[in-house]
Amino acid sequence: MELLSPAGNVEKLRFCYAYGADAAYIGLKNFSLRVKADNFYGDEYRQVAAIKARYPGRKLYCALNISFHNAELDRLKDELPYFKQYPIDAFIVQDLGIVPLLQKEFPHAALHLSTQASCMNREAVKIYKSLGFSRIVMGREASLKEIAQIKDAVPDMELECFVHGAMCIAYSGRCLMSAYLNGRSAQEGFCSHTCRWDYDLLLNRGWLDKAGAKFLAETGALVLREKKRPDETFPVYEGEHFTAVLSSKDLCMVDYLDEFKKAGVDSLKIEGRMKSVYYVALITRAYRKALDVLDGRISGEEAAPFIDELYKVSHRPYGKGFYFGPDDADVTVSGESSSPYELSAQLGPELAADEAEQVFVRADFLRKRREAEYASLVPQAQKAYDDRVKALPDRYLPPVQKKEGWRFYALKVQNMIRQDSRLEAVGPGLLSLPLAQGSWQLVNPQTGEVYRWCCDGHPAVLYTPVELGEDFLLRSPGPGLAAADGNAAADGKAGATTEGNAATVADGKADGEVN
């Protein structure tokens, strides 16, 4: 089965492929149901083509899955020359009005039917096949039993199913709630996720006792009020065949991939073009390992710690959607489980020898200039200079010194990193590798200075003797995990760390989406 991962921007596309996806799906500006994702525009087609060339055989799908108004259809026609610059293998669409246009202008690209079309029966699949579609992204309300029946009836049609990520309370994501409350249509890619706002449940018909709760729920006497909109209330009504509104569970089917294989599913889809690089990488990696177990490439014991990482990213309570019946999907939730880690930085390639040497040249220039300035001062001025250095250490950072066996890696810092931060490296085949204190430095490549701390926006390279990979990520324990570890250390509990802190190398090396 194909593993299909979400790419909201160029960076995420690279990590999709690096962490094991067979295919990735992107959106193009203004024509995707995730307009708040970065999506793709400008000359990024060059970077996309280069990334795809780096991973031969990987597929790229483009979501053009909004509901088109006439003006949007005209704009799509105007943008076709731009779209043709992308190495697109298939388009994900729901609006049949654009099908003839895509078939004419992209004769070699496949057509995939978006889950927005809510295709859930064999006769509908036959109709879409006759229209030229080669794959159906199943409506999320379809059960595995129904999916198997469809595959039996139309065996040459590819079937794609969501297996992980945010779900939607609306029918296959076709929600009107966002448009109703604040004029932002989910059908045009502007969903404001009103189903996940922070509401209060109020009573506007007097006192409520426990015995009357069911009666009131059925009469519509209960209303919702969102905390930031105190003057607006919304009725809540509970009927016989539904329980509640608003936020649904997140989907997690990693333990049931064999059931999808038996049902004839061709592609397993991860939701999340608006999620972080860290989320996309670790979720993709977990499902890659699970599929490798299913295909007999690795053992379940080897895959288990990678799969456990699914529970160490931010998520709402996990559920099974509609695949085994509607009961689990009917349960609504609030809040989410926060990740015990935060993404610190993304690693790039190791600096070439000449690039690394230039960092040392700048550091040496800085050192000599400071020494010359200091030597030119009278003793009293030297003492004042020493006092300033002590009082303002961030303004007088030391120049980096060349160390045998150390190398520089390009680095994109995401969150604050300090000299005493507890960093771990994770990679496509590396569960996690703690970087010991003293085994790394953050260096400004433009000046050769060693940072005491840096954050997003600071030019930085990682200087370390540890051999790492270009597609590695650096993470650090979040406040909760750091506090727990600190308490454990204070109590003398040696080894009281999370499983993610263990250095595990696999393969013998360190290394609410709607479509």
Side-chain angles (χ1 to χ4, degrees):
M1 290 182 290
E2 174 188 85
L3 179 59
L4 176 57
S5 292
N9 58 31
V10 172
E11 288 179 341
K12 294 174 189 177
L13 178 64
R14 175 166 68 91
F15 282 91
C16 285
Y17 291 149
Y19 281 69
D22 301 300
Y25 60 102
I26 67 174
L28 297 176
K29 283 292 186 183
N30 302 317
F31 297 106
S32 161
L33 278 177
R34 285 294 178 268
V35 296
K36 288 182 68 179
D38 291 345
N39 289 321
F40 293 77
Y41 59 95
D43 65 353
E44 289 184 338
Y45 62 87
R46 302 181 194 275
Q47 299 175 62
V48 171
I51 292 171
K52 196 163 182 280
R54 181 182 167 192
Y55 296 94
R58 308 295 176 93
K59 297 292 184 67
L60 181 69
Y61 306 146
C62 177
L64 293 178
N65 55 344
I66 68 168
S67 298
F68 285 82
H69 290 279
N70 289 330
E72 291 163 335
L73 188 60
D74 293 337
R75 185 156 43 84
L76 173 63
K77 293 177 181 179
D78 293 338
E79 294 282 352
L80 287 176
Y82 171 70
F83 289 1
K84 290 180 178 180
Q85 298 176 101
Y86 282 84
I88 295 170
D89 295 294
F91 289 98
I92 305 169
V93 303
Q94 65 145 325
D95 194 325
L96 295 182
I98 68 171
V99 168
L101 183 64
L102 295 178
Q103 289 173 325
K104 177 184 176 182
E105 300 293 338
F106 300 90
H108 302 296
L111 287 177
H112 295 176
L113 184 73
S114 170
T115 192
Q116 289 288 104
S118 299
C119 182
M120 292 185 297
N121 66 74
R122 56 183 178 268
E123 298 306 320
V125 171
K126 293 175 183 176
I127 291 294
Y128 285 114
K129 180 185 175 184
S130 71
L131 295 175
F133 286 87
S134 62
R135 177 181 293 189
I136 303 295
V137 186
M138 295 302 304
R140 296 190 186 185
E141 297 75 24
S143 68
L144 279 171
K145 180 180 178 181
E146 292 171 318
I147 292 168
Q149 293 170 343
I150 290 171
K151 191 66 175 181
D152 289 341
V154 196
D156 53 348
M157 175 64 82
E158 294 181 358
L159 301 181
E160 177 180 305
C161 295
F162 280 94
V163 291
H164 197 93
M167 296 284 284
C168 183
I169 62 165
Y171 202 71
S172 278
R174 293 184 295 178
C175 180
L176 298 177
M177 189 172 180
S178 178
Y180 174 71
L181 294 186
N182 64 2
R184 289 174 50 178
S185 172
Q187 301 309 295
E188 296 179 3
F190 290 94
C191 183
S192 58
H193 300 283
T194 50
C195 60
R196 295 184 175 188
W197 287 353
D198 189 7
Y199 292 94
D200 292 320
L201 184 62
L202 306 177
L203 176 69
N204 61 2
R205 294 190 184 178
W207 180 76
L208 172 68
D209 62 19
K210 189 173 181 179
K214 185 175 185 299
F215 169 77
L216 286 172
E218 293 174 344
T219 63
L222 302 177
V223 296
L224 283 176
R225 181 182 68 191
E226 209 276 327
K227 287 185 177 179
K228 294 183 179 180
R229 297 163 177 78
D231 297 327
E232 297 181 62
T233 60
F234 310 102
V236 176
Y237 181 80
E238 181 167 326
E240 182 179 356
H241 298 297
F242 58 92
T243 55
V245 296
L246 307 182
S247 185
S248 58
K249 290 183 178 180
D250 280 357
L251 185 66
C252 181
M253 299 299 293
V254 72
D255 295 328
Y256 304 96
L257 302 190
D258 58 333
E259 300 291 336
F260 285 88
K261 187 174 183 178
K262 292 174 184 176
V265 173
D266 299 279
S267 181
L268 305 176
K269 189 171 198 170
I270 297 169
E271 179 273 339
R273 273 186 289 150
M274 293 174 64
K275 297 294 180 66
S276 68
V277 163
Y278 180 75
Y279 178 96
V280 170
L282 266 65
I283 299 298
T284 298
R285 187 181 69 173
Y287 277 86
R288 178 75 274 155
K289 298 298 182 183
L291 280 172
D292 287 346
V293 172
L294 191 61
D295 293 338
R297 297 191 185 97
I298 62 174
S299 68
E301 291 74 17
E302 291 175 285
F306 293 93
I307 295 173
D308 286 344
E309 292 285 312
L310 291 174
Y311 301 92
K312 297 175 186 176
V313 298
S314 297
H315 65 278
R316 288 175 173 78
Y318 283 140
K320 299 184 289 295
F322 292 87
Y323 287 119
F324 299 105
D327 292 344
D328 195 40
D330 283 344
V331 178
T332 56
V333 297
S334 61
E336 65 179 8
S337 298
S338 298
S339 172
Y341 297 98
E342 67 178 15
L343 177 62
S344 299
Q346 301 174 33
L347 259 69
E350 181 179 345
L351 266 60
D354 59 336
E355 294 176 307
E357 187 58 33
Q358 282 301 309
V359 178
F360 292 120
V361 168
R362 294 173 187 126
D364 190 53
F365 174 81
L366 176 66
R367 183 184 301 109
K368 290 178 178 178
R369 188 188 71 188
R370 288 179 177 176
E371 289 174 352
E373 290 176 353
Y374 190 81
S376 69
L377 300 175
V378 299
Q380 295 88 341
Q382 287 180 344
K383 183 180 183 306
Y385 181 92
D386 293 338
D387 290 341
R388 286 199 306 274
V389 171
K390 186 176 180 180
L392 302 169
D394 288 336
R395 290 187 57 184
Y396 297 91
L397 297 172
V400 65
Q401 297 183 5
K402 188 177 294 187
K403 299 184 180 184
E404 186 67 28
W406 286 48
R407 75 285 307 273
F408 289 108
Y409 291 96
L411 197 69
K412 180 178 180 181
V413 179
Q414 306 285 124
N415 288 297
M416 175 78 74
I417 304 177
R418 302 181 184 276
Q419 285 180 331
D420 59 352
S421 292
R422 291 168 47 196
L423 294 181
E424 298 179 13
V426 297
L430 174 70
L431 180 62
S432 71
L433 176 65
L435 302 182
Q437 290 295 318
S439 70
W440 56 273
Q441 293 178 331
L442 297 176
V443 178
N444 184 337
Q446 299 175 359
T447 64
E449 295 172 293
V450 178
Y451 286 117
R452 298 178 68 246
W453 60 269
C454 71
C455 57
D456 182 24
H458 287 188
V461 291
L462 180 71
Y463 192 42
T464 180
V466 182
E467 186 174 354
L468 301 170
E470 178 178 349
D471 298 312
F472 279 29
L473 298 169
L474 297 182
R475 69 184 184 185
S476 59
L481 183 57
D485 286 350
N487 292 336
D491 293 339
K493 298 177 181 177
T497 58
T498 65
E499 182 177 30
N501 287 335
T504 302
V505 180
D507 302 329
K509 61 181 180 180
D511 192 24
E513 194 76 50
V514 280
N515 295 120

